[in-house]
């Protein structure tokens, strides 16, 4: 079962690339090529924050594995202290690197780095936490956002007339609304198809005996077919009394709604950012599409929403898992 | 749009490069350096003398240099006295004071941002910045209230729902602010608006997280609040004194008044001060016990059996010091050993917070963050060294002192459904059986 490793590493790779793209824009904007400390310090801070977050994740999910190794136990136990000490070292290096004529520039780059870290690194770790909850919580939201992007574009292309927002002149209300309905339907169907398989539905766990990730479990009630009685007007249309649905499909409606209505604001934010700094695309990594950030700008709010959704409405055991396993 | 181009009143010795940027209309093709140069001069040359009248009259017969020294000295004593008073008033007042300090610091930094970017006429910004402050505070206070006031929250229906869906509600509120920001983007001011957005978020990151860590430390026991803050204040004062009397070698270009003699003297003085202060405070329950909310009396109580950290223990003195002091063992509180770590941090790393703030002030060409305290500047000026200290104490407690809280676990356990409780009970039973803590016949049901 290599999907766990593959997923984790891809997310890390994407996060590093997004960070690199945004930092490069910062360098260009502030012309700070000749402050060599800045590249070093920015990457150092990226490393520190990732170390902190990955350490917390490892401590949670690999608890049995960690208990066996002595050095790892020490690292886990004093994890916060070590992360903080590493961060402080970077902070002190920043203060010592302040050069007389470049104070303002250096503070701007410091702030730019921190805001970028806040955006990219926290999102990517929420994505990984969602992934560990069950791959369906990773696949359905991301595909809903992608579906919304594509269907909004198609609806806009064929029926688009009324502009939506000045920031993105190509977006139209017809695209927006058409995309919303198609995404809800798509999410509903995708949730139905994926809910059948244990592979997607079970939390990802690390089994020490086989030394790999497994997704095997008794699917929770969220993923067991239940009968719902249809409201009267649908009864007439479909000519059935009840319908068998997975409860997860109801949740998927909430996820798709968010993806279609609020997700685009992430895209508008990125458009505004590009206009503010007079760049056409974040980078030129993907031909025809721009950089990695261009593809992931709408996902950015989605990951946080899914995480907050899971902790508020779905998951009861998180606190206990942490406390008991330690 | 021309209002944005208005140059602020400049001090006579402003650097010459400001003058060459009088040229108007560079909206398209403007680069960051242009925006920054245009936003350079900040009009913070307020009246030279803003000390209260009463002080002015009392000190009228001194020369201006000594007068400044006296003003600073009197205000220092006043602030220390204020500190003692609020400690005496108890945890609730402390929390409120921390909140006020946080709001004032946020206000000071945001005002600097406005001055730097001349963004007075983007009215959404004030609203949005304060709105984000409210959201983030709501989130943090909600988490604190849920943790510490658990039984109170469970009793009241509206509070219970608010705390159960707390994260979702906070996130929704934040999203509303985010969407308002996106909708408020105005064509010619994009960059300015993004800068202010970034500025607001970094300020929130610094100010609000620190203040909440301070409150967490406070709940751990008032001694974890008082000793670190006093060590930073002591280090400030001692380093100043040592520097004043013995100072010769400059420490860092950022702060030309700091000297190595002050730094090292302040370090030793602060460690000694920390040891003495923790010795004095460890004797009293009201400082040492975690702050808890008592449901029956509906107030905060600090009453408990002091932990091992606050019980006198005998320590063997190493050979070196034995001959000096003439004692073989000494009675100390274990907490005093920890206080050495805290004082060391306060003296060695705390000043970096001060250098950071000095660099910030030089970068944005301001003398002080504000003029709230005569002779001292703004609230941020006083709290710049504290900023790292609060995080350090919190991380220190989490790593070395505090284990998981059993009573909190039980509270959370009781909120689950019966089938979930049964599941946990079974997991717990097999876990304890594996560890050999449950013998065959003694399984307490």
């Amino acid at each position: 079962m290599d999907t766990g490793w593959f997923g984790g590493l891809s997310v890390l790779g994407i996060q590093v690339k997004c960070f690199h793209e945004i930092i490069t824009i910062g360098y260009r904007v502030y012309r700070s090529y000749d402050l060599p400390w800045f590249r070093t310090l920015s990457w150092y801070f990226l490393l520190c924050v990732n170390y902190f977050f990955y350490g917390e994740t490892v401590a949670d999910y690999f608890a049995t594995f960690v208990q066996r190794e002595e050095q790892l136990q020490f690292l886990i136990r004093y994890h916060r202290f070590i992360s903080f000490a590493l961060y402080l070292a970077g902070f002190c290096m920043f203060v010592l690197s302040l050069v007389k004529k470049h104070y303002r520039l250096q503070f701007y780059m410091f702030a730019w780095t921190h805001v970028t870290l806040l955006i990219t690194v926290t999102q990517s770790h929420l994505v990984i936490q969602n992934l560990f909850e069950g791959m369906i919580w990773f696949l359905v939201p991301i595909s809903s956002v992608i579906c919304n992007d594509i269907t909004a574009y198609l609806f806009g292309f064929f029926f688009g007339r009324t502009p939506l927002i000045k920031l993105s002149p190509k977006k139209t209300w017809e695209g927006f609304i058409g995309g919303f309905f198609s995404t809800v339907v798509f999410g509903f169907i995708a949730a139905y198809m994926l809910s059948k398989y244990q592979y997607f539905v079970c939390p990802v766990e690390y089994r020490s005996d086989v030394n790999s990730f497994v997704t095997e479990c008794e699917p929770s009630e969220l993923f067991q077919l239940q009968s719902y009685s249809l409201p009267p007007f649908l009864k007439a249309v479909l000519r059935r009394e009840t319908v068998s649905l997975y409860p997860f499909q109801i949740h998927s409606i909430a996820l798709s709604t968010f993806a279609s209505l609020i997700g685009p604001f992430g895209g508008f934010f990125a458009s505004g950012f590009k206009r503010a700094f007079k760049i056409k695309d974040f980078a030129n990594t993907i031909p025809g599409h721009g950089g990695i950030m261009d593809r992931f700008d709408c996902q950015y709010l989605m990951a946080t929403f899914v995480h907050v959704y899971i902790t508020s409405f779905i998951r009861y055991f998180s606190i206990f898992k942490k406390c008991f396993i330690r | 749009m021309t209002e944005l181009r208005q140059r602020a009143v400049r001090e006579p010795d402003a650097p010459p490069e400001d003058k060459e940027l009088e040229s108007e209309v560079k909206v398209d093709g403007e680069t960051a350096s242009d925006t920054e140069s245009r936003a350079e001069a900040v009009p913070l040359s307020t009246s030279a003398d803003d000390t209260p009248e009463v002080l002015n009259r009392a000190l009228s017969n001194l020369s201006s240099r000594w007068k400044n020294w006296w003003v600073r000295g009197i205000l220092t004593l006043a602030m220390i006295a204020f500190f003692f008073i609020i400690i005496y008033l108890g945890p609730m007042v402390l929390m409120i004071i921390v909140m006020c300090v946080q709001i004032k610091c946020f206000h000071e930094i945001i005002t600097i941002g406005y001055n730097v970017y001349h963004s007075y006429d983007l009215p959404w910004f004030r609203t949005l910045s304060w709105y984000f402050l409210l959201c983030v505070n709501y989130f943090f206070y909600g988490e604190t209230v849920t943790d510490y006031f658990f039984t109170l929250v469970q009793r009241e229906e509206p509070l219970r729902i608010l705390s159960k869906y707390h994260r979702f509600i906070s996130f929704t509120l934040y999203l509303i602010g985010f969407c308002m920001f996106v909708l408020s983007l105005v064509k010619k001011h994009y960059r300015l608006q993004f800068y202010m957005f970034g500025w607001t978020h970094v300020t929130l990151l610094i100010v609000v997280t620190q203040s909440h860590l301070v409150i967490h430390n406070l709940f751990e026991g008032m001694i974890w609040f008082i000793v670190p803050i006093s060590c930073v204040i002591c280090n400030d004062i001692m380093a100043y004194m040592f520097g004043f009397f013995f100072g010769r070698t400059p420490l860092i270009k950022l702060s030309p008044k700091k000297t190595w003699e002050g730094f090292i003297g302040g370090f030793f003085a602060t460690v000694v001060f920390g040891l003495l202060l923790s010795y004095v405070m460890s004797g009293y329950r009201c400082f040492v016990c975690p702050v808890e909310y008592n449901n029956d009396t509906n107030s905060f109580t600090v009453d408990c059996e002091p932990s091992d950290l606050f019980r006198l223990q005998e320590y063997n003195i190493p050979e070196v010091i034995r001959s000096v002091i003439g004692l073989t063992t000494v009675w100390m509180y274990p907490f005093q050993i920890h206080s050495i770590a805290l004082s060391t941090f306060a003296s060695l790393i705390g000043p970096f917070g001060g250098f950071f703030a000095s660099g910030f002030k030089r970068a944005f060409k301001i003398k002080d963050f504000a003029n709230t305290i005569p002779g001292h500047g703004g609230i941020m000026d006083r709290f710049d060294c504290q900023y790292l200290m609060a995080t350090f104490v919190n991380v220190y407690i989490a790593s070395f002192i505090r284990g998981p809280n059993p009573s909190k676990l039980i509270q959370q356990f009781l909120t689950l459904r019966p089938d979930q409780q049964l599941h946990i009970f079974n997991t717990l039973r097999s876990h304890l059986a594996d560890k050999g803590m449950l013998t065959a016949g003694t399984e307490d049901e």
Side-chain angles (χ1 to χ4, degrees):
Chain A
M1 163 65 75
D2 294 341
T3 319
W5 290 115
F6 182 69
L9 286 174
S10 319
V11 172
L12 182 65
I14 290 173
Q15 175 211 108
V16 169
K17 189 71 182 64
C18 287
F19 182 80
H20 179 241
E21 284 179 7
I22 301 181
I23 291 290
T24 311
I25 292 173
Y27 288 147
R28 275 209 308 250
V29 168
Y30 288 111
R31 306 225 181 111
S32 48
Y33 293 125
D34 46 349
L35 290 170
W37 271 117
F38 262 100
R39 285 180 197 270
T40 321
L41 275 174
S42 303
W43 288 106
Y44 179 79
F45 281 127
L46 177 69
L47 209 74
C48 286
V49 181
N50 266 317
Y51 175 76
F52 172 68
F53 278 117
Y54 272 104
E56 299 266 312
T57 312
V58 163
D60 276 351
Y61 290 99
F62 294 79
T64 34
F65 175 68
V66 163
Q67 295 296 74
R68 281 183 311 189
E69 313 277 343
E70 268 309 304
Q71 299 97 327
L72 281 186
Q73 248 195 17
F74 174 79
L75 281 180
I76 297 288
R77 213 174 152 219
Y78 299 109
H79 176 69
R80 284 199 184 180
F81 192 76
I82 296 171
S83 311
F84 185 62
L86 289 175
Y87 177 81
L88 270 188
F91 182 84
C92 295
M93 289 313 303
F94 168 73
V95 171
L96 293 171
S97 78
L98 289 171
V99 176
K100 187 160 180 184
K101 287 201 189 305
H102 302 307
Y103 286 149
R104 190 180 288 213
L105 211 61
Q106 289 180 290
F107 272 93
Y108 280 148
M109 289 311 296
F110 186 78
W112 191 288
T113 305
H114 279 68
V115 176
T116 311
L117 284 173
L118 195 70
I119 298 175
T120 55
V121 180
T122 50
Q123 301 305 313
S124 74
H125 281 275
L126 293 177
V127 166
I128 290 181
Q129 301 243 358
N130 296 343
L131 181 80
F132 273 84
E133 202 55 33
M135 282 179 56
I136 200 172
W137 291 104
F138 172 78
L139 289 172
V140 169
I142 289 188
S143 30
S144 297
V145 173
I146 294 173
C147 169
N148 184 61
D149 256 355
I150 296 173
T151 49
Y153 178 77
L154 290 174
F155 272 87
F157 189 78
F158 290 115
F159 308 112
R161 238 176 319 237
T162 341
L164 181 61
I165 189 172
K166 269 187 256 129
L167 265 178
S168 298
K170 289 187 198 162
K171 311 268 183 202
T172 57
W173 275 102
E174 290 83 8
F176 188 71
I177 297 179
F180 167 58
F181 284 110
S182 340
T183 308
V184 170
V185 170
F186 169 82
F188 203 73
I189 297 175
Y192 181 77
M193 286 171 45
L194 290 178
S195 298
K196 285 191 254 198
Y197 301 95
Q198 264 193 21
Y199 180 75
F200 293 121
V201 150
C202 292
V204 177
E205 275 164 11
Y206 187 79
R207 287 273 171 79
S208 29
D209 28 339
V210 285
N211 254 358
S212 70
F213 291 97
V214 289
T215 53
E216 266 166 31
C217 65
E218 191 59 41
S220 78
E221 0 178 278
L222 216 52
F223 302 103
Q224 285 167 6
L225 279 169
Q226 282 181 26
S227 255
Y228 289 89
S229 31
L230 288 170
F233 64 91
L234 277 179
K235 248 186 235 188
V237 171
L238 295 171
R239 265 176 268 121
R240 293 168 67 162
E241 290 282 317
T242 61
V243 67
S244 271
L245 287 181
Y246 294 100
F248 178 72
Q249 290 181 270
I250 316 287
H251 292 294
S252 83
I253 296 179
L255 298 180
S256 326
T257 308
F258 184 88
S260 334
L261 298 185
I262 311 290
F265 277 90
F268 301 149
F269 185 84
S271 294
F273 181 84
K274 286 189 278 191
R275 281 170 196 280
F277 295 99
K278 299 195 179 359
I279 52 181
K280 188 178 181 309
D281 286 318
F282 278 94
N284 286 310
T285 321
I286 311 175
H289 282 270
I292 301 277
M293 267 307 287
D294 289 293
R295 289 300 95 215
F296 282 86
D297 52 22
C298 296
Q299 303 281 1
Y300 141 66
L301 290 172
M302 191 75 204
T304 319
F305 176 75
V306 175
H307 186 81
V308 170
Y309 191 86
I310 293 177
T311 49
S312 300
F313 299 111
I314 311 287
R315 185 166 58 177
Y316 304 112
F317 279 159
S318 58
I319 303 155
F320 282 91
K321 195 157 67 160
K322 273 193 201 189
C323 295
F324 273 137
I325 290 179
R326 271 189 230 180
Chain B
M1 240 299 253
T2 47
E3 302 83 74
L4 280 179
R5 300 270 188 272
Q6 269 170 11
R7 314 305 304 273
V9 172
R10 237 176 271 129
E11 304 185 357
D13 54 345
E17 57 252 32
D18 288 348
K19 299 194 172 61
E20 67 193 24
L21 293 163
E22 291 295 334
S23 57
E24 290 284 330
V25 193
K26 275 188 95 189
V27 180
D28 302 314
E30 77 176 20
T31 57
S33 46
D34 287 351
T35 315
E36 270 67 74
S37 314
R38 225 181 291 120
E40 250 183 32
V42 173
L44 273 173
S45 53
T46 52
S47 63
D49 189 4
D50 53 331
T51 54
E53 259 315 297
V54 58
L55 276 179
N56 259 334
R57 266 182 272 125
L59 304 168
S60 54
N61 53 342
L62 292 170
S63 74
S64 76
R65 179 169 166 261
W66 279 107
K67 185 162 111 172
N68 195 35
W69 205 92
W70 273 102
V71 168
R72 278 186 78 106
I74 292 173
L75 260 305
T76 308
L77 291 174
M79 287 192 288
I80 292 177
F82 182 69
F83 184 53
F84 280 123
I85 292 172
I86 59 174
I87 290 174
Y88 178 72
L89 288 175
M92 193 70 195
V93 174
L94 271 172
M95 272 178 68
I96 295 176
I97 300 280
V98 168
M99 177 116 178
C100 293
V101 167
Q102 175 209 108
I103 292 177
K104 190 71 181 66
C105 288
F106 182 79
H107 180 242
E108 284 179 8
I109 301 180
I110 291 291
T111 311
I112 292 173
Y114 289 147
N115 285 340
V116 169
Y117 289 111
H118 299 290
S119 47
Y120 294 121
D121 44 351
L122 290 169
W124 272 118
F125 263 100
R126 286 184 196 267
T127 321
L128 274 175
S129 304
W130 288 106
Y131 178 80
F132 281 126
L133 177 69
L134 209 75
C135 283
V136 181
N137 266 317
Y138 175 77
F139 172 68
F140 278 116
Y141 273 103
E143 298 266 311
T144 311
V145 162
T146 315
D147 275 349
Y148 289 100
F149 294 80
F150 192 74
T151 31
L152 171 71
V153 163
Q154 291 300 91
R155 274 187 314 194
E156 314 277 343
E157 250 321 287
L159 281 185
R160 197 179 67 81
I161 295 183
L162 278 181
S163 88
K164 188 161 189 231
Y165 299 109
H166 176 68
R167 285 198 183 179
F168 191 75
I169 296 172
S170 311
F171 183 62
T172 313
L173 290 175
Y174 177 81
L175 269 188
I176 291 174
F178 181 82
C179 294
M180 290 311 305
F181 168 73
V182 171
L183 293 172
S184 77
L185 288 172
V186 177
K187 189 162 177 175
K188 289 198 189 307
H189 303 317
Y190 287 151
R191 191 179 289 212
L192 210 63
Q193 290 180 291
F194 271 92
Y195 280 151
M196 288 312 295
F197 187 77
W199 190 288
T200 305
H201 278 69
V202 176
T203 311
L204 284 174
L205 194 71
I206 297 175
V207 168
V208 180
T209 51
Q210 300 306 311
S211 74
H212 281 274
L213 292 176
V214 166
I215 291 179
H216 276 274
N217 297 344
L218 182 77
F219 273 90
E220 203 56 32
M222 282 176 58
I223 199 172
W224 290 104
F225 172 80
I226 297 170
V227 168
I229 290 188
S230 326
C231 286
V232 175
I233 294 174
C234 169
N235 181 259
D236 256 353
I237 297 174
M238 290 293 145
Y240 180 77
M241 296 282 185
F242 275 87
F244 189 79
F245 291 117
F246 307 113
R248 237 173 320 233
T249 341
L251 182 60
I252 189 172
K253 268 185 262 146
L254 266 178
S255 298
K257 288 188 198 159
K258 311 271 183 198
T259 57
W260 275 102
E261 290 83 7
F263 188 70
I264 297 180
F267 166 59
F268 284 110
T270 307
V271 170
V272 170
F273 171 81
L275 279 171
L276 291 173
L277 184 69
S278 20
Y279 181 77
V280 167
M281 293 198 121
S282 297
Y284 298 92
R285 270 199 198 171
C286 65
F287 293 129
V288 150
C289 291
V291 176
E292 270 161 37
Y293 187 77
N294 196 330
N295 297 307
D296 322 324
T297 60
N298 259 356
S299 69
F300 288 101
T301 52
V302 269
D303 207 8
C304 68
E305 195 59 40
S307 78
D308 295 330
L309 217 50
F310 301 103
R311 284 192 224 166
L312 280 170
Q313 282 182 24
E314 251 185 300
Y315 288 90
N316 289 319
I317 302 184
E319 300 291 336
V320 177
I321 313 182
R322 219 177 265 191
S323 42
V324 174
I325 305 185
L327 291 170
T328 38
T329 61
V330 68
W331 285 92
M332 284 201 314
Y333 294 99
F335 179 75
Q336 290 182 272
I337 315 285
H338 291 294
S339 82
I340 297 179
L342 298 180
S343 329
T344 308
F345 184 87
S347 334
L348 299 184
I349 311 290
F352 278 90
F355 301 149
F356 186 82
S358 294
F360 181 84
K361 286 188 277 191
R362 280 169 197 278
F364 295 99
K365 299 197 180 359
I366 52 178
K367 189 181 180 307
D368 286 320
F369 279 92
N371 285 311
T372 320
I373 311 175
H376 284 270
I379 302 275
M380 265 310 284
D381 288 294
R382 288 301 95 215
F383 283 87
D384 52 19
C385 297
Q386 304 280 0
Y387 142 66
L388 288 173
M389 192 77 206
T391 319
F392 175 75
V393 174
N394 192 275
V395 170
Y396 191 87
I397 293 177
S399 301
F400 298 111
I401 313 286
R402 184 172 54 185
N405 188 348
S407 53
K408 221 185 338 171
L409 270 178
I410 292 180
Q411 285 168 357
Q412 288 164 340
F413 179 81
L414 293 173
T415 63
L416 293 178
R417 298 195 311 261
D419 56 318
Q420 292 168 327
Q421 291 179 349
L422 199 60
H423 175 88
I424 292 186
F425 174 72
N426 289 326
T427 315
L428 182 62
R429 186 165 62 179
S430 57
H431 180 81
L432 288 175
D434 281 344
K435 294 227 160 184
M437 291 180 62
L438 289 177
T439 58
T442 60
E443 289 173 358
D444 302 293
E445 296 295 333

